[in-house]
Amino acid sequence: MKHCFRTIAALAISLMGSALVPTLKADDWDKKTNITIDQSIDVQGTVLPPGSYVIKVGPSADRHTVQIFNADESHLMVAVVAIPAYRLADTNDSQFKFHEVAEGQPPALRAWFHPGDNLGFEFRAIRGGVAAQAGQRTNATTSNAGGN
């Protein structure tokens, strides 16, 4: 009987302990964000037409691979290795920054920040479609989108 009591006590303590541990959402790990764009955008040479997409951090160990899928995540549209980016203040929304581009070219994604994070992902500009080809400096414009 003593053995059963000890087993039950150990199970009760472990259940109480697990209830106190904060839960981790998958969205926080892979930074999954649903986005809808109303115009084409360029992501390191891949032009995404207007529509809905899922953007998230890939499963690689270095955590720098960003994947963009179609809305139901059945097709990988593009996967890129991003450079770590930093912003001074975090926000409650996803933040996207774009390179300036030559007139008539789709905006080129420059950076993505997940809600609540100061550390984000920077995307390099592809020569030929960015402002460098037009002889202009590359500056950023910003767009915010709700997370998930």
Side-chain angles (χ1 to χ4, degrees):
M1 185 68 174
K2 276 186 170 180
H3 182 64
C4 285
F5 179 73
R6 287 183 184 166
T7 304
I8 291 172
L11 284 172
I13 290 172
S14 69
L15 285 174
M16 287 179 8
S18 66
L20 299 176
V21 174
T23 57
L24 212 122
K25 295 181 354 184
D27 293 348
D28 291 336
W29 171 249
D30 64 9
K31 306 202 181 295
K32 180 177 174 180
T33 303
N34 296 314
I35 62 171
T36 300
I37 54 175
D38 60 0
Q39 64 178 346
S40 296
I41 63 169
D42 184 328
V43 181
Q44 285 193 197
T46 300
V47 176
L48 300 175
S52 295
Y53 299 94
V54 175
I55 183 171
K56 60 185 178 179
V57 177
S60 65
D62 66 8
R63 308 283 297 149
H64 297 299
T65 303
V66 175
Q67 299 174 321
I68 301 178
F69 292 88
N70 62 349
D72 63 3
E73 297 183 58
S74 62
H75 180 69
L76 177 64
M77 306 299 288
V78 63
V80 297
V81 177
I83 303 164
Y86 185 78
R87 63 180 173 177
L88 295 177
D90 60 0
T91 64
N92 292 329
D93 293 328
S94 291
Q95 185 179 41
F96 296 89
K97 295 183 178 187
F98 296 88
H99 293 283
E100 280 189 19
V101 295
E103 193 167 328
Q105 297 292 320
L109 185 61
R110 184 179 131 203
W112 166 50
F113 294 93
H114 191 259
D117 287 350
N118 286 17
L119 189 62
F121 304 91
E122 185 173 338
F123 304 90
R124 63 184 171 84
I126 300 295
R127 293 179 194 193
V130 296
Q133 180 186 18
Q136 303 171 358
R137 277 186 50 218
T138 302
N139 294 320
T141 56
T142 302
S143 173
N144 288 325
N148 295 8

